[in-house]
Amino acid sequence: MSTINDVSRLAGVSKATVSRVLSGSRGVKEASRLAVLKAVDELNYRPNVIAQSLLSQSTGCIGVICAQDNINQTTAYLYALEKHLSQSQKHLLLRFANSKAEVMSALDELTCGLCDDVLVIGARFPLHIDDENVILVDCVESATTTPNSIQFDHAFAAETACNYLISQGRRQIALIHPNSAAADQVLLGYKLALENNFLPFNRNLVFMDDTSSSVALQVLLNNATTLNFNALLVADEQEAQRVIPQLQAFNKTVPGDIMVFSLAGSLHLPGIPTIPAIEYSMDAMAAKIVAWLNEKTQSVLGSYRVRGDLIIPDVRKR
Amino acid sequence: MSTINDVSRLAGVSKATVSRVLSGSRGVKEASRLAVLKAVDELNYRPNVIAQSLLSQSTGCIGVICAQDNINQTTAYLYALEKHLSQSQKHLLLRFANSKAEVMSALDELTCGLCDDVLVIGARFPLHIDDENVILVDCVESATTTPNSIQFDHAFAAETACNYLISQGRRQIALIHPNSAAADQVLLGYKLALENNFLPFNRNLVFMDDTSSSVALQVLLNNATTLNFNALLVADEQEAQRVIPQLQAFNKTVPGDIMVFSLAGSLHLPGIPTIPAIEYSMDAMAAKIVAWLNEKTQSVLGSYRVRGDLIIPDVRKR
DNA sequence: CTGTTAGCGCATTCAC
DNA sequence: GTGAATGCGCTAACAG
C-alpha cells in the first residue's frame, strides 16, 4: 500500500499539501491540486485510517458485545445497529459473551484504543460497569449506578397490553411471566391498567414465580370454570408459541375463547395466525443509540427506557 | 488514558524499559521490572493497540461482509467465526451488504488499514475481486479467478444424498432445485450417484428451472401414479418445510411414502420430525478460515470446497 | 499558497 | 541493563 510520502513525491509537492487536498482542499493552487489528485489516482492511494486514528485518538469503531441467549433477537439488533453505524461512518466490532467474566475480558480487549465506545447487549447477569463509554442495552439492571443504559419499558408494555385487551372486551386477564428482572415492572403496569379501568386484581390469575409456564397455564385451565379468564399475557413470542397449542388442546380457541398477548415480539411465522403483541423497534433503538454516540459530548444518556409499539393482528380477509 | 510516558516517568525508567517489561521482559533488572509493573498497576496502564498497529502494520481486525439473505444462516456464521477469531486474538468487524456496489464500498472502507483481511459471505451476485486479502465464502463463483474462495461441495452433497436414499430402498428420486449457481453441481452429483448405482436418469423427476418449488412439486404429484417417486431432494431446510405439508395434503406420508432430503441444513424445530439432510458445520468452516488467516504467508487457499455431513434422523423411540 | 516541523503512542534499533 | 534516537503514516501549527 502506498503512503502519503509516495504521493507527495510523485506529485512534486509536500505531504502537507497532499493532506490538504484530501481533507479540507481549501487554499490550494489548482495546479498542485490536480497533480495530487492524479498521483493519488495513479498510486491508488488511500489514507491509512490507523495513522489518522492515532492522531485523532478515535477509531470510529464501536464494540458490540452480545450476551443475548435469544439468537434471533441478536441478529435483529446487529442488523439494525450496523445499518445506522455505517451511516455515521462507524464500524461495528462484534463479540459474543456468555458470562460476566467473558464480558469483562472482551471489554478489556476492546477498550485499549480499538473502540471508541462499547455496547453490551442482552446480558442476563448483573454487570458492574462504571465507564462513560459503555452502554448497557437490554441488560439486567445492576446495583451500582451504571452511567449509561437503555432498557425496555416493561411497565408501559403491560399497561398497554391490558388496556388493549380490555378495549376488546377481555376483562379477565391472566398473566404468566417468569420471575425475571422485568417481572416487577410488568406487574406494575398490569396493576395500573386494572386500577385505571376499575377492575379488581385477582391474585389467582397471576403467575410470576419460577414454575414453568406450562404448569402455570395448566393451573389456569384446571380452574377455568371458576376463573373464567378470557385473555392471557405472556412474556414473549416463544412463550406464546408454546402456550397456544396447549390452549387448543383443551378446546380453547385463540383468540375466540382466550386472547393471547405477547409482551415482547409477535408471531410472524407463515401459517400461524398473528397475535396482538408489543414490539420493540430495533431500528428505532439503533437510531437512538447511534444518535447518542454521535453527540456524546453534549448530552448524557443516563437510564433511558424505550417503549414498544402495539401490534394488532390483521383481521381483514385476504 | 495514560501512556507509556506516564509509566516511564512514574517508574523512573525510560520508555524502552517499560516496553521491554511489557513485551519480552527479558534482560531487565528485577528492581526496575517491579517498578514498571507497579506503575502500570497504579496508572491502570494498557498499551494503545492503535499505536502498536501503526508500527506493526496490522490491526488484528478481520472484516466480515455479510451478503447473506438467509438471516439464520448469517448468525450461525458469525457466531462460529467470532468464536474462532477471538481465540486467535483477532477481532470481527461486521458489515451487511445487499448488492455488489455495497460490498465494494464496504470493502473500500475496511481495507484502508483497518482490517488485515476481509471475508465476504453468501453473496448471490457475481463479485470481481482480485485481492489476496479477501476471501469469498459461500459466494457465487465469479468469472475472473478469485484468489481465495471457500465453497460448499454441492456435487458431493447430492451424490451423498442419493446414495443414502438408495440405501434406504428409494430408487425413484425426484429433485427440485432452484436454478442457482449450485444447480449444475447438484445435477452432477445426482447423475453420478444414479450411474454408480446402475439406475436410469429420468428427466421427468428433475425440476431445476425457475418455476416455483410448489408448482414443481404439484407436477410431480399430478403424475405420481406414472412417476411413482418415493424420495424428494430439495435445496434446503426452508424448501423442505414448505414441501412437506404439501405432500401431506395429498395424503403422502413423510417419510413413509416419500422421503424428503434437504441438501443444506436439516429441520430441528420442536414437534417437526427431523428429515435426513446434508449439514455444513459452521464451526469446522470457521476453524478452516481462521487457521488459514493465521498462516497466510505460508500457504495459498485457492478455491477450497467444504463437504457437508450426512445427518440421519433419529428413529429410536424415546 | 506551500513547505517544514512536531508529535500522536509505541517498539526497535544502537550506543553506552 | 538501559536510555536516547528513529520512524510507522498522518495532520496541525507555524513559518515563509
Side-chain angles (χ1 to χ4, degrees):
Chain A
M1 193 53 110
S2 49
T3 77
I4 198 171
N5 285 305
D6 304 325
V7 177
S8 73
R9 208 172 306 130
L10 203 153
V13 296
S14 74
K15 295 196 297 177
T17 303
V18 175
S19 181
R20 276 192 273 266
V21 171
L22 267 48
S23 326
S25 189
R26 56 160 180 237
V28 178
K29 207 204 303 175
E30 190 63 11
S32 38
R33 207 181 74 90
L34 259 40
V36 168
L37 257 28
K38 180 156 169 284
V40 164
D41 189 58
E42 267 180 48
L43 295 169
N44 188 30
Y45 166 76
R46 282 137 64 207
N48 185 319
V49 291
I50 292 302
Q52 292 178 320
S53 295
L54 184 59
L55 204 57
S56 67
Q57 301 282 42
S58 88
T59 61
C61 286
I62 309 295
V64 173
I65 302 178
C66 285
Q68 195 102 27
D69 28 72
N70 183 345
I71 206 73
N72 291 324
Q73 186 77 355
T74 300
T75 315
Y77 266 118
L78 289 179
Y79 193 84
L81 271 174
E82 195 281 327
K83 192 176 151 194
H84 283 91
L85 285 174
S86 63
Q87 272 175 8
S88 294
Q89 319 276 30
K90 290 190 187 297
H91 303 286
L92 164 15
L93 225 145
L94 177 64
R95 295 274 326 231
F96 290 100
N98 299 311
S99 65
K100 182 177 177 182
E102 282 183 28
V103 169
M104 296 318 266
S105 131
L107 224 41
D108 250 30
E109 288 182 37
L110 299 183
T111 52
C112 297
L114 225 195
C115 294
D116 299 338
D117 300 280
V118 178
L119 312 178
V120 180
I121 296 182
R124 288 291 160 267
F125 33 82
L127 251 24
H128 302 284
I129 291 168
D130 183 29
D131 188 330
E132 281 289 334
N133 300 317
V134 177
I135 305 181
L136 265 34
V137 180
D138 188 18
C139 293
V140 298
E141 297 191 66
S142 59
T144 64
T145 49
T146 307
N148 300 309
S149 73
I150 296 187
Q151 261 132 340
F152 295 130
D153 195 333
H154 293 108
F156 181 77
E159 187 188 352
T160 304
C162 289
N163 281 328
Y164 171 72
L165 291 170
I166 292 166
S167 81
Q168 299 296 304
R170 314 288 171 141
R171 300 166 69 88
Q172 310 291 334
I173 306 172
L175 168 60
I176 297 181
H177 200 283
N179 191 15
S180 70
D184 293 347
Q185 294 281 318
V186 168
L187 195 57
L188 221 62
Y190 176 84
K191 283 181 173 171
L192 182 60
L194 292 188
E195 258 180 53
N196 288 342
N197 286 277
F198 310 107
L199 256 35
F201 173 74
N202 183 347
R203 173 162 287 281
N204 295 320
L205 285 172
V206 177
F207 291 82
M208 309 202 69
D209 46 24
D210 285 331
T211 49
S212 77
S213 67
S214 165
V215 171
L217 178 54
Q218 199 54 55
V219 175
L220 281 171
L221 284 167
N222 290 351
N223 301 312
T225 45
T226 55
L227 287 174
N228 205 27
F229 72 109
N230 52 17
L232 176 59
L233 236 48
V234 296
D236 54 39
E237 46 192 326
Q238 292 168 54
E239 279 295 298
Q241 206 162 354
R242 225 171 303 157
V243 139
I244 292 173
Q246 194 177 347
L247 285 170
Q248 289 168 340
F250 281 80
N251 297 320
K252 301 291 186 187
T253 62
V254 177
D257 295 327
I258 313 276
M259 186 173 277
V260 176
F261 192 109
S262 156
L263 286 172
S266 71
L267 265 29
H268 290 305
L269 304 180
I272 300 175
T274 309
I275 60 167
I278 297 292
E279 262 186 16
Y280 296 92
S281 162
M282 289 299 113
D283 198 67
M285 176 170 259
K288 171 78 187 175
I289 293 172
V290 175
W292 184 77
L293 289 175
N294 282 330
E295 52 182 40
K296 202 154 51 101
T297 45
Q298 284 125 43
S299 64
V300 179
L301 222 199
S303 188
Y304 184 80
R305 302 193 100 80
V306 284
R307 297 180 161 182
D309 304 308
L310 173 61
I311 306 292
I312 303 170
D314 188 356
V315 290
R316 290 171 303 177
K317 312 289 177 203
R318 306 179 201 203
Chain B
M1 193 53 107
S2 49
T3 78
I4 198 171
N5 286 305
D6 304 325
V7 177
S8 74
R9 208 173 306 130
L10 205 156
V13 296
S14 74
K15 296 196 296 178
T17 303
V18 175
S19 183
R20 284 194 194 87
V21 172
L22 267 47
S23 322
S25 189
R26 55 150 181 250
V28 177
K29 207 202 304 175
E30 190 62 14
S32 37
R33 207 181 75 87
L34 258 40
V36 168
L37 256 28
K38 180 156 170 284
V40 164
D41 189 58
E42 266 179 48
L43 294 169
N44 188 29
Y45 166 77
R46 282 136 66 208
N48 184 319
V49 291
I50 293 303
Q52 292 178 320
S53 296
L54 184 59
L55 207 55
S56 67
Q57 301 282 42
S58 89
T59 60
C61 286
I62 308 296
V64 173
I65 303 178
C66 285
Q68 194 101 28
D69 29 72
N70 183 342
I71 205 74
N72 290 324
Q73 187 78 354
T74 300
T75 315
Y77 267 118
L78 289 179
Y79 193 83
L81 272 173
E82 196 280 327
K83 193 176 150 193
H84 283 93
L85 285 174
S86 62
Q87 272 174 9
S88 293
Q89 319 277 28
K90 290 189 185 300
H91 302 286
L92 163 15
L93 228 143
L94 178 65
R95 294 271 329 229
F96 290 101
N98 300 311
S99 65
K100 182 177 176 182
E102 282 182 29
V103 170
M104 297 317 265
S105 131
L107 224 40
D108 251 31
E109 288 181 38
L110 298 183
T111 53
C112 297
L114 225 196
C115 294
D116 299 337
D117 299 281
V118 178
L119 313 178
V120 181
I121 295 182
R124 288 291 159 267
F125 34 81
L127 250 24
H128 302 283
I129 291 167
D130 182 29
D131 189 330
E132 281 289 334
N133 300 318
V134 177
I135 305 181
L136 265 35
V137 180
D138 187 17
C139 293
V140 298
E141 296 191 65
S142 59
T144 65
T145 50
T146 306
N148 301 308
S149 72
I150 295 187
Q151 260 134 340
F152 295 129
D153 194 334
H154 293 108
F156 181 78
E159 187 189 352
T160 304
C162 289
N163 281 328
Y164 171 73
L165 291 170
I166 292 166
S167 82
Q168 299 295 303
R170 314 289 172 140
R171 300 166 69 87
Q172 310 290 335
I173 306 173
L175 168 59
I176 298 180
H177 201 283
N179 191 15
S180 70
D184 292 348
Q185 294 282 317
V186 168
L187 195 56
L188 222 62
Y190 176 82
K191 282 181 172 170
L192 182 61
L194 291 188
E195 258 180 52
N196 288 341
N197 287 277
F198 310 108
L199 256 36
F201 174 73
N202 183 349
R203 173 162 289 283
N204 295 320
L205 285 173
V206 176
F207 292 81
M208 309 201 69
D209 46 22
D210 285 331
T211 49
S212 77
S213 67
S214 165
V215 171
L217 178 54
Q218 199 53 55
V219 175
L220 280 171
L221 284 166
N222 290 351
N223 300 310
T225 46
T226 56
L227 288 174
N228 203 28
F229 71 109
N230 52 17
L232 175 59
L233 236 50
V234 296
D236 55 39
E237 48 193 323
Q238 291 167 53
E239 279 295 298
Q241 207 163 353
R242 225 171 303 158
V243 141
I244 291 174
Q246 195 176 348
L247 285 170
Q248 289 168 339
F250 282 80
N251 296 321
K252 302 288 187 189
T253 62
V254 177
D257 295 326
I258 314 276
M259 188 174 277
V260 177
F261 192 109
S262 156
L263 286 171
S266 71
L267 263 32
H268 290 305
L269 303 180
I272 300 174
T274 311
I275 59 166
I278 298 291
E279 263 188 15
Y280 297 92
S281 162
M282 290 298 113
D283 198 67
M285 175 168 260
K288 170 80 187 174
I289 293 173
V290 174
W292 184 77
L293 289 175
N294 282 329
E295 52 181 39
K296 202 154 52 102
T297 45
Q298 284 125 43
S299 64
V300 179
L301 221 197
S303 189
Y304 183 81
R305 302 191 99 81
V306 285
R307 296 180 160 180
D309 304 308
L310 172 62
I311 306 292
I312 302 170
D314 187 357
V315 289
R316 290 172 303 177
K317 312 290 179 206
R318 307 180 201 202

PDB file of all heavy atoms in Angstrom, chain B residues 7 11 23 26 34 39 51 89 97 122 127 136 139 143 154 182 187 202 207 253 271 300:
ATOM      1  N   VAL B   7       3.983   6.065  32.498  1.00  0.00           N
ATOM      2  CA  VAL B   7       4.517   4.911  33.218  1.00  0.00           C
ATOM      3  C   VAL B   7       6.017   5.054  33.424  1.00  0.00           C
ATOM      4  O   VAL B   7       6.521   4.854  34.533  1.00  0.00           O
ATOM      5  CB  VAL B   7       4.213   3.606  32.458  1.00  0.00           C
ATOM      6  CG1 VAL B   7       4.830   2.415  33.188  1.00  0.00           C
ATOM      7  CG2 VAL B   7       2.718   3.411  32.304  1.00  0.00           C
ATOM      8  N   ALA B  11       7.751   5.255  36.989  1.00  0.00           N
ATOM      9  CA  ALA B  11       8.643   4.155  37.397  1.00  0.00           C
ATOM     10  C   ALA B  11      10.101   4.604  37.461  1.00  0.00           C
ATOM     11  O   ALA B  11      10.956   3.870  37.953  1.00  0.00           O
ATOM     12  CB  ALA B  11       8.495   2.987  36.429  1.00  0.00           C
ATOM     13  N   SER B  23       6.640  -6.448  26.972  1.00  0.00           N
ATOM     14  CA  SER B  23       6.704  -7.389  25.844  1.00  0.00           C
ATOM     15  C   SER B  23       7.591  -8.560  26.227  1.00  0.00           C
ATOM     16  O   SER B  23       7.172  -9.484  26.884  1.00  0.00           O
ATOM     17  CB  SER B  23       7.265  -6.702  24.604  1.00  0.00           C
ATOM     18  OG  SER B  23       6.793  -5.376  24.529  1.00  0.00           O
ATOM     19  N   ARG B  26      12.688  -9.742  28.999  1.00  0.00           N
ATOM     20  CA  ARG B  26      13.968 -10.408  29.250  1.00  0.00           C
ATOM     21  C   ARG B  26      15.097  -9.359  29.251  1.00  0.00           C
ATOM     22  O   ARG B  26      15.045  -8.378  28.507  1.00  0.00           O
ATOM     23  CB  ARG B  26      14.248 -11.449  28.177  1.00  0.00           C
ATOM     24  CG  ARG B  26      14.194 -10.845  26.782  1.00  0.00           C
ATOM     25  CD  ARG B  26      15.103 -11.554  25.801  1.00  0.00           C
ATOM     26  NE  ARG B  26      15.001 -10.888  24.511  1.00  0.00           N
ATOM     27  CZ  ARG B  26      14.417 -11.429  23.451  1.00  0.00           C
ATOM     28  NH1 ARG B  26      13.903 -12.623  23.511  1.00  0.00           N
ATOM     29  NH2 ARG B  26      14.353 -10.766  22.311  1.00  0.00           N
ATOM     30  N   LEU B  34       9.954  -4.558  38.578  1.00  0.00           N
ATOM     31  CA  LEU B  34       8.927  -4.374  39.599  1.00  0.00           C
ATOM     32  C   LEU B  34       8.387  -2.946  39.611  1.00  0.00           C
ATOM     33  O   LEU B  34       7.177  -2.728  39.758  1.00  0.00           O
ATOM     34  CB  LEU B  34       9.514  -4.732  40.980  1.00  0.00           C
ATOM     35  CG  LEU B  34       9.128  -6.111  41.531  1.00  0.00           C
ATOM     36  CD1 LEU B  34       9.137  -7.166  40.417  1.00  0.00           C
ATOM     37  CD2 LEU B  34      10.060  -6.519  42.674  1.00  0.00           C
ATOM     38  N   ALA B  39       3.974   0.743  38.563  1.00  0.00           N
ATOM     39  CA  ALA B  39       3.460   1.948  37.902  1.00  0.00           C
ATOM     40  C   ALA B  39       2.313   1.599  36.962  1.00  0.00           C
ATOM     41  O   ALA B  39       1.294   2.293  36.900  1.00  0.00           O
ATOM     42  CB  ALA B  39       4.587   2.631  37.125  1.00  0.00           C
ATOM     43  N   ALA B  51      -1.507   2.451  18.325  1.00  0.00           N
ATOM     44  CA  ALA B  51      -0.102   2.787  18.125  1.00  0.00           C
ATOM     45  C   ALA B  51       0.687   1.540  17.748  1.00  0.00           C
ATOM     46  O   ALA B  51       1.550   1.571  16.860  1.00  0.00           O
ATOM     47  CB  ALA B  51       0.465   3.410  19.391  1.00  0.00           C
ATOM     48  N   GLN B  89      -6.914 -14.064  18.967  1.00  0.00           N
ATOM     49  CA  GLN B  89      -6.667 -12.653  19.283  1.00  0.00           C
ATOM     50  C   GLN B  89      -7.032 -11.746  18.118  1.00  0.00           C
ATOM     51  O   GLN B  89      -6.375 -10.733  17.908  1.00  0.00           O
ATOM     52  CB  GLN B  89      -5.198 -12.413  19.651  1.00  0.00           C
ATOM     53  CG  GLN B  89      -4.597 -13.479  20.522  1.00  0.00           C
ATOM     54  CD  GLN B  89      -4.901 -13.269  21.986  1.00  0.00           C
ATOM     55  OE1 GLN B  89      -5.929 -12.678  22.337  1.00  0.00           O
ATOM     56  NE2 GLN B  89      -4.037 -13.732  22.848  1.00  0.00           N
ATOM     57  N   ALA B  97     -24.266  -6.166   3.515  1.00  0.00           N
ATOM     58  CA  ALA B  97     -24.311  -5.592   2.171  1.00  0.00           C
ATOM     59  C   ALA B  97     -25.254  -6.415   1.315  1.00  0.00           C
ATOM     60  O   ALA B  97     -25.256  -7.642   1.393  1.00  0.00           O
ATOM     61  CB  ALA B  97     -22.919  -5.568   1.562  1.00  0.00           C
ATOM     62  N   GLY B 122     -21.685 -15.284   1.492  1.00  0.00           N
ATOM     63  CA  GLY B 122     -23.029 -15.551   0.973  1.00  0.00           C
ATOM     64  C   GLY B 122     -23.524 -14.638  -0.123  1.00  0.00           C
ATOM     65  O   GLY B 122     -24.738 -14.520  -0.309  1.00  0.00           O
ATOM     66  N   LEU B 127     -19.051 -11.291  -8.000  1.00  0.00           N
ATOM     67  CA  LEU B 127     -18.114 -10.294  -7.480  1.00  0.00           C
ATOM     68  C   LEU B 127     -16.804 -10.454  -8.231  1.00  0.00           C
ATOM     69  O   LEU B 127     -16.362 -11.562  -8.481  1.00  0.00           O
ATOM     70  CB  LEU B 127     -17.879 -10.567  -5.991  1.00  0.00           C
ATOM     71  CG  LEU B 127     -18.419  -9.630  -4.930  1.00  0.00           C
ATOM     72  CD1 LEU B 127     -19.613  -8.826  -5.393  1.00  0.00           C
ATOM     73  CD2 LEU B 127     -18.788 -10.427  -3.693  1.00  0.00           C
ATOM     74  N   LEU B 136     -13.691 -15.073  -0.413  1.00  0.00           N
ATOM     75  CA  LEU B 136     -15.115 -15.220  -0.711  1.00  0.00           C
ATOM     76  C   LEU B 136     -15.606 -16.528  -0.097  1.00  0.00           C
ATOM     77  O   LEU B 136     -15.099 -17.604  -0.419  1.00  0.00           O
ATOM     78  CB  LEU B 136     -15.325 -15.250  -2.224  1.00  0.00           C
ATOM     79  CG  LEU B 136     -15.679 -13.937  -2.919  1.00  0.00           C
ATOM     80  CD1 LEU B 136     -14.999 -12.749  -2.276  1.00  0.00           C
ATOM     81  CD2 LEU B 136     -15.351 -14.000  -4.395  1.00  0.00           C
ATOM     82  N   CYS B 139     -19.945 -17.781  -1.772  1.00  0.00           N
ATOM     83  CA  CYS B 139     -20.415 -16.802  -2.752  1.00  0.00           C
ATOM     84  C   CYS B 139     -20.511 -17.478  -4.114  1.00  0.00           C
ATOM     85  O   CYS B 139     -19.869 -18.493  -4.350  1.00  0.00           O
ATOM     86  CB  CYS B 139     -19.431 -15.625  -2.851  1.00  0.00           C
ATOM     87  SG  CYS B 139     -19.345 -14.604  -1.376  1.00  0.00           S
ATOM     88  N   ALA B 143     -16.429 -15.012 -12.738  1.00  0.00           N
ATOM     89  CA  ALA B 143     -15.745 -15.402 -13.965  1.00  0.00           C
ATOM     90  C   ALA B 143     -14.225 -15.292 -13.791  1.00  0.00           C
ATOM     91  O   ALA B 143     -13.490 -16.212 -14.091  1.00  0.00           O
ATOM     92  CB  ALA B 143     -16.206 -14.520 -15.116  1.00  0.00           C
ATOM     93  N   HIS B 154     -21.430 -28.955  -3.537  1.00  0.00           N
ATOM     94  CA  HIS B 154     -22.822 -29.339  -3.776  1.00  0.00           C
ATOM     95  C   HIS B 154     -22.942 -30.660  -4.517  1.00  0.00           C
ATOM     96  O   HIS B 154     -23.894 -31.405  -4.314  1.00  0.00           O
ATOM     97  CB  HIS B 154     -23.524 -28.239  -4.565  1.00  0.00           C
ATOM     98  CG  HIS B 154     -23.688 -26.971  -3.795  1.00  0.00           C
ATOM     99  ND1 HIS B 154     -22.955 -25.828  -4.066  1.00  0.00           N
ATOM    100  CD2 HIS B 154     -24.463 -26.661  -2.738  1.00  0.00           C
ATOM    101  CE1 HIS B 154     -23.296 -24.877  -3.221  1.00  0.00           C
ATOM    102  NE2 HIS B 154     -24.202 -25.357  -2.400  1.00  0.00           N
ATOM    103  N   ALA B 182     -25.489 -23.219  -7.837  1.00  0.00           N
ATOM    104  CA  ALA B 182     -25.133 -24.551  -7.385  1.00  0.00           C
ATOM    105  C   ALA B 182     -25.818 -25.640  -8.199  1.00  0.00           C
ATOM    106  O   ALA B 182     -25.473 -26.822  -8.083  1.00  0.00           O
ATOM    107  CB  ALA B 182     -25.483 -24.700  -5.909  1.00  0.00           C
ATOM    108  N   LEU B 187     -26.821 -31.301  -9.957  1.00  0.00           N
ATOM    109  CA  LEU B 187     -27.220 -32.238 -11.002  1.00  0.00           C
ATOM    110  C   LEU B 187     -26.100 -33.241 -11.281  1.00  0.00           C
ATOM    111  O   LEU B 187     -26.344 -34.437 -11.484  1.00  0.00           O
ATOM    112  CB  LEU B 187     -27.576 -31.463 -12.277  1.00  0.00           C
ATOM    113  CG  LEU B 187     -28.356 -32.258 -13.327  1.00  0.00           C
ATOM    114  CD1 LEU B 187     -29.638 -32.826 -12.726  1.00  0.00           C
ATOM    115  CD2 LEU B 187     -28.686 -31.383 -14.530  1.00  0.00           C
ATOM    116  N   ASN B 202     -34.135 -40.190 -15.076  1.00  0.00           N
ATOM    117  CA  ASN B 202     -35.472 -39.852 -15.576  1.00  0.00           C
ATOM    118  C   ASN B 202     -35.655 -38.331 -15.551  1.00  0.00           C
ATOM    119  O   ASN B 202     -35.803 -37.731 -14.490  1.00  0.00           O
ATOM    120  CB  ASN B 202     -36.532 -40.534 -14.711  1.00  0.00           C
ATOM    121  CG  ASN B 202     -37.931 -40.264 -15.245  1.00  0.00           C
ATOM    122  OD1 ASN B 202     -38.130 -39.420 -16.125  1.00  0.00           O
ATOM    123  ND2 ASN B 202     -38.899 -41.009 -14.717  1.00  0.00           N
ATOM    124  N   PHE B 207     -36.518 -31.057 -11.584  1.00  0.00           N
ATOM    125  CA  PHE B 207     -37.015 -29.705 -11.825  1.00  0.00           C
ATOM    126  C   PHE B 207     -35.973 -28.694 -11.380  1.00  0.00           C
ATOM    127  O   PHE B 207     -35.777 -28.464 -10.195  1.00  0.00           O
ATOM    128  CB  PHE B 207     -38.320 -29.470 -11.062  1.00  0.00           C
ATOM    129  CG  PHE B 207     -39.462 -30.278 -11.582  1.00  0.00           C
ATOM    130  CD1 PHE B 207     -39.607 -31.608 -11.211  1.00  0.00           C
ATOM    131  CD2 PHE B 207     -40.379 -29.721 -12.459  1.00  0.00           C
ATOM    132  CE1 PHE B 207     -40.659 -32.366 -11.706  1.00  0.00           C
ATOM    133  CE2 PHE B 207     -41.433 -30.473 -12.953  1.00  0.00           C
ATOM    134  CZ  PHE B 207     -41.573 -31.802 -12.582  1.00  0.00           C
ATOM    135  N   THR B 253     -47.419 -39.786   3.030  1.00  0.00           N
ATOM    136  CA  THR B 253     -46.755 -39.710   4.325  1.00  0.00           C
ATOM    137  C   THR B 253     -45.264 -39.460   4.121  1.00  0.00           C
ATOM    138  O   THR B 253     -44.680 -39.877   3.125  1.00  0.00           O
ATOM    139  CB  THR B 253     -46.936 -41.014   5.128  1.00  0.00           C
ATOM    140  OG1 THR B 253     -46.332 -42.090   4.402  1.00  0.00           O
ATOM    141  CG2 THR B 253     -48.401 -41.307   5.346  1.00  0.00           C
ATOM    142  N   GLY B 271     -41.199 -30.596  17.556  1.00  0.00           N
ATOM    143  CA  GLY B 271     -42.501 -31.051  17.080  1.00  0.00           C
ATOM    144  C   GLY B 271     -42.477 -31.514  15.646  1.00  0.00           C
ATOM    145  O   GLY B 271     -43.235 -32.390  15.245  1.00  0.00           O
ATOM    146  N   VAL B 300      -1.441 -21.097   0.227  1.00  0.00           N
ATOM    147  CA  VAL B 300      -2.439 -20.436  -0.600  1.00  0.00           C
ATOM    148  C   VAL B 300      -3.762 -21.165  -0.400  1.00  0.00           C
ATOM    149  O   VAL B 300      -3.807 -22.395  -0.360  1.00  0.00           O
ATOM    150  CB  VAL B 300      -2.041 -20.486  -2.084  1.00  0.00           C
ATOM    151  CG1 VAL B 300      -3.111 -19.824  -2.937  1.00  0.00           C
ATOM    152  CG2 VAL B 300      -0.697 -19.804  -2.280  1.00  0.00           C
TER     153      VAL B 300
END
